[in-house]
Amino acid sequence: MPPSHYHRPIPEGLEALEGVSDLALDLRWTWSHFSDRLWELLDPEAWKHTQDPYYILQNVSRTRLEEVAADARFTEELRGWQEERRRYLEAPGWFGQYHAQADLRKVAYFSMEFGLSEALPTYSGGLGILAGDYLKTASDLGVPVIGIGLLHQQGYFRQVLTDDGWQLEAYPYNDPTMLPVVPVQNHDGGWLRVKLALPGRSLLLRVWLARVGKVPLYLLDSNDPLNSPSDRGITTILYPSEKERRLIQEIVLGIGGWLALEQLDIKVDICHLNEGHAAFAILARAHQFMRNTGQSFPVALRATRAGNLFTTHTPVAAGIDRFEPALIRPYLHCLNEHTDIPVDDILAMGKKELANHDESFNMAYFAMRGSCWINGVSRLHGQVSRQLFQALYPRRPQDEVPIGHITNGVHVPTWDSKAADELWTCTCGKERWLGTTDALCPMIERISVSELSTLRVAGRRSLIQYVRHRFEHQLREHGASNERIQRAQHALNPNALTLGFARRFAEYKRPNLLLHDPDRLARILLHPDRPAQLIVAGKAYPNDQEGKEMVRAMVKFASRPELFDRVIFLEDHDMTLAQQLATGIDLWINTPRRPWEACGTSGMKVLVNGGLNCSELDGWWAEAYSPEVGWALGDGHEHHEPEWDAHEADQLYQLLEQKIVPEFYARDPDGLPRRWLERVRTSMA
């Protein structure tokens, strides 16, 4: 670990507040809400609008700090939280309890994005949310993980919709001084910098630290004044469309990230590559072995490969990053200037046909050839990956291609509501997520339907209150009339079946399958006795015109006058919205084209809060589905004929009309939807 870090010091004379900066910088507050009351006491208005302790602490006045330092209630809260944090950090966790003797020092987890909180916007979607949940889970379980990523000055875009529903992109600046990160010091007390050799110049990378409970996350950025203006912008945008900038970003992540670990003197046993973006860490690790031992590249690669793990999330070849040899060759020459590795040998590792000098360098191929273990992210995705990459193993049958699977999960404490947390704690205990969960199933089966009804009603009401507020704010920003804004304040029915659909708008996700027959969907939503309502959110990639057209079509549907209180499209889908949706949605709808949903964890997040799923038999749902826990689309097979979409759209409408909506409104003598709630209980178990 580095010797020390910077943060805003507590002014002299306020020793009663000592340690409050450490609390604000520990992102454990994103999932453990014990300290919420502390920040609410410090600045109620800022807490209401930001839910960001570090922002509050950076902006609070000295006068207010002096007031709370003299407030016994505040200092008591502070001492209690500090003691709780101390116990958490010192606890061995599951790993320390059961694997204390394991010969494992550190696991370095490389990912281009990490979705931890809106307070640290370094993610774009599911891949980043998974990476954030991975670090949080590692912290809770005491697994010795270190995260390596990039700190983006602008990150992924924020979505803005025009009056006719067309998506525009905004890139607000992320001021590092307002983010819960601190610059890392070197051993001489200066700012740690990593130097990379690029064609014709050197690139300096600053290193920042984000604390995720017990897990340190190191983030690199190129916005150093000693770099050229162009190079200062290398880490500005997440996933730039320009190929060379994308290549340099991946060099920064893999090579720069590994060099940062070297300078910090952190010894790593396992290098976990979350997608091919991080594959250059394989090369950096081999370089280090060569320097330390004097061995050749083949020996170094074989020795270090045993500690490299590659997780692929890509179900289609088009989703893999590729770089032309003419583009990547100069960079490999620079990166190898102190070794004798032939550049052609490295390029061959990223090709299907080793002798084809014109073939693009494939980052997934490179990651696979440099890793000892490769896994997909669901059982079905493992099968898809073995087919996708079989060309690399021409002598093996497809089912013997060495790619396994580990189905993705979610960090439950990030996604549960306060009410759900209390119910689970009462039923299963406070430590329920900190070990194996087999014993929880019979405990959950003992929850009464009335308790589940209370949970669901509270979750739905809370969500609708949030959606109304956010939608009203959205309308005001678009200059809507006062009449339209007032109507928005009463949109949605707290007692109606609430459907949720929020994901990236891309053709293979078929976000507009719901709109195959918009009039039929409107009739379902407007049923006089059994109304339903739909909350929608999602972005398209900036260059995906088809995806943007799908966004516009959904916004247009939501704008139909008769649906003003039944359908709401919320712009700028972010993590805060995702957390709110997870707490209150009754039925999560997912409609990808099988088998292109590698895993798709959004539907998992509603489970802890008593939400149900109606999804295509793809990704995680293909192995989790059974008739008593939810509903399935499709027949469990792949279809390429165009008319199949129409068939599945009809199947979705029929499920809603004949099964889902009637079951939600079928009430027992106590007024409870007993069958629905029993399904909820089985799903939770």
Side-chain angles (χ1 to χ4, degrees), residues 640-652:
H640 305 289
E641 54 272 23
E643 59 270 19
W644 185 256
D645 283 3
H647 171 79
E648 287 199 353
D650 181 67
Q651 183 187 17
L652 176 57

Side-chain angles (χ1 to χ4, degrees), residues 668-682:
D668 67 7
D670 296 323
L672 299 176
R674 181 168 295 273
R675 188 176 176 188
W676 182 278
L677 294 171
E678 288 173 348
R679 190 187 298 272
V680 165
R681 183 167 55 197
T682 304

Side-chain angles (χ1 to χ4, degrees), residues 355-548:
N356 184 353
H357 297 293
D358 297 324
E359 183 181 341
S360 295
F361 183 85
N362 183 304
M363 293 296 288
Y365 290 175
F366 182 62
M368 294 172 73
R369 289 198 170 106
S371 300
C372 189
W373 173 266
I374 308 159
N375 69 278
V377 291
S378 69
R379 184 172 61 199
L380 178 58
H381 182 239
Q383 298 171 8
V384 170
S385 298
R386 287 189 287 276
Q387 179 181 5
L388 183 63
F389 296 112
Q390 186 177 17
L392 296 187
Y393 307 91
R395 298 182 182 180
R396 299 191 185 208
Q398 184 175 310
D399 61 357
E400 293 183 12
V401 170
I403 301 176
H405 80 275
I406 300 173
T407 303
N408 284 344
V410 298
H411 179 253
V412 179
T414 293
W415 304 101
D416 63 358
S417 67
K418 182 178 180 181
D421 177 64
E422 291 173 353
L423 180 61
W424 282 87
T425 300
C426 179
T427 305
C428 301
K430 191 172 180 61
E431 307 294 311
R432 61 193 174 277
W433 307 123
L434 302 182
T436 57
T437 56
D438 296 345
L440 303 186
C441 298
M443 297 181 187
I444 290 299
E445 293 291 353
R446 293 197 291 268
I447 299 178
S448 69
V449 292
S450 61
E451 288 177 296
L452 291 176
S453 177
T454 299
L455 172 68
R456 291 304 310 137
V457 169
R460 193 184 313 113
R461 288 181 181 275
S462 176
L463 170 63
I464 288 173
Q465 183 179 14
Y466 172 83
V467 169
R468 286 172 175 173
H469 176 76
R470 183 159 175 157
F471 189 50
E472 178 187 349
H473 181 73
Q474 179 176 313
L475 291 174
R476 288 187 187 279
E477 287 195 333
H478 285 272
S481 66
N482 289 334
E483 179 187 1
R484 181 74 181 93
I485 293 171
Q486 289 175 358
R487 293 173 71 190
Q489 295 170 353
H490 304 284
L492 306 180
N493 180 350
N495 299 311
L497 172 64
T498 303
L499 314 176
F501 188 95
R503 60 193 32 82
R504 183 159 52 85
F505 274 59
E507 191 279 332
Y508 81 89
K509 289 182 179 287
R510 300 189 300 180
N512 284 11
L513 195 72
L514 271 167
L515 299 184
H516 183 77
D517 186 341
D519 292 335
R520 187 175 179 183
L521 176 59
R523 288 195 298 272
I524 294 171
L525 299 173
L526 293 168
H527 193 285
D529 302 317
R530 300 182 307 208
Q533 53 201 11
L534 176 63
I535 302 171
V536 186
K539 302 176 180 179
Y541 281 141
N543 295 325
D544 183 0
Q545 301 304 308
E546 184 178 13
K548 289 185 175 183

Side-chain angles (χ1 to χ4, degrees), residues 178-194:
M178 290 291 103
L179 303 179
V181 297
V182 289
V184 178
Q185 288 180 289
N186 59 28
H187 294 288
D188 294 325
W191 197 332
L192 181 69
R193 285 175 168 83
V194 172

Side-chain angles (χ1 to χ4, degrees), residues 515-582:
L515 299 184
H516 183 77
D517 186 341
D519 292 335
R520 187 175 179 183
L521 176 59
R523 288 195 298 272
I524 294 171
L525 299 173
L526 293 168
H527 193 285
D529 302 317
R530 300 182 307 208
Q533 53 201 11
L534 176 63
I535 302 171
V536 186
K539 302 176 180 179
Y541 281 141
N543 295 325
D544 183 0
Q545 301 304 308
E546 184 178 13
K548 289 185 175 183
E549 288 290 356
M550 292 178 178
V551 170
R552 179 153 60 179
M554 187 65 77
V555 174
K556 181 180 178 181
F557 177 75
S559 300
R560 289 171 62 155
E562 72 273 22
L563 297 175
F564 79 95
D565 64 344
R566 301 295 172 91
V567 183
I568 288 183
F569 189 106
L570 293 173
E571 68 182 8
D572 198 31
H573 184 207
D574 58 14
M575 194 169 175
T576 300
L577 175 57
Q579 289 172 315
Q580 293 291 334
L581 292 174

